[in-house]
Amino acid sequence: MKTHRWTISFLVLVLLSLHPLLATRAAAAEEVAEGKGKRVVAKVGEDGVQRLEVLSGEYYFEPNHIVVQVDTPVELLVRKVDGFVPHNVIVQAPAAGIDFKVDVDDEVRPIRFTPTKTGRYEMYCDKSFLWFESHRAKGMEGIIEVVE
Ligand SMILES: [Cu+2]
């Protein structure tokens, strides 16, 4: 029973120490939400690949609206920019040739695909901390728009 009480005390201490941290995070997420809607058209490089750097932070992607050409290879260079919170980037549109789920790291991680169908496809991070809402719900989402 004594061990049990210690466990509860420990958990309470952990939760108390996390509280200010969580409050700060929430404020940061709101700031980012205001700056949402950054739309970038990927440029085709000399090698015929549309290459674009995508930053992943708490809790956003930048840019969060990526425009690419259909039937042209894409390489997204995804990198984590702030904090220690783990993120991923997901697009599940196999009918359009875009289907990936990749964990994001401090190192650049290239994601390659060739979109085969025009349209708008959702991009998001499905990570969450314990029982808290997902990063997607906190604003970590975006769109890959495939155009002619
Ligand atoms: Cu995330």
Side-chain angles (χ1 to χ4, degrees):
M1 263 303 142
K2 210 171 179 186
T3 319
H4 190 65
R5 194 179 293 167
W6 271 109
T7 309
I8 290 175
S9 307
F10 177 72
L11 279 175
V12 167
L13 272 175
V14 166
L15 286 174
L16 282 176
S17 64
L18 275 175
H19 183 260
L21 193 72
L22 293 171
T24 316
R25 295 265 147 99
E30 274 167 28
E31 278 169 31
V32 169
E34 283 174 19
K36 265 181 109 178
K38 191 173 179 194
R39 183 178 185 271
V40 170
V41 180
K43 290 194 181 77
V44 183
E46 283 177 13
D47 57 357
V49 177
Q50 315 179 73
R51 205 167 273 112
L52 194 71
E53 188 175 64
V54 180
L55 303 179
S56 125
E58 292 168 29
Y59 293 92
Y60 63 91
F61 290 110
E62 194 197 317
N64 65 353
H65 186 162
I66 297 164
V67 183
V68 294
Q69 285 175 31
V70 71
D71 296 324
T72 308
V74 177
E75 187 176 271
L76 300 179
L77 303 170
V78 185
R79 184 166 58 90
K80 195 155 77 111
V81 279
D82 55 21
F84 52 87
V85 176
H87 297 297
N88 59 21
V89 55
I90 302 171
V91 177
Q92 286 172 324
I98 317 172
D99 190 16
F100 58 80
K101 176 174 180 171
V102 178
D103 280 327
V104 176
D105 207 344
D106 297 328
E107 304 271 307
V108 171
R109 201 157 276 195
I111 299 171
R112 299 183 184 96
F113 59 90
T114 301
T116 55
K117 205 174 147 192
T118 57
R120 288 166 155 247
Y121 307 102
E122 294 176 342
M123 170 177 84
Y124 58 93
C125 168
D126 77 347
K127 301 264 184 190
S128 65
F129 177 64
L130 301 176
W131 58 87
F132 293 97
E133 60 182 358
S134 73
H135 294 182
R136 182 181 196 177
K138 289 171 190 269
M140 201 165 178
E141 60 183 352
I143 291 167
I144 292 185
E145 184 181 353
V146 181
V147 297
E148 281 290 342

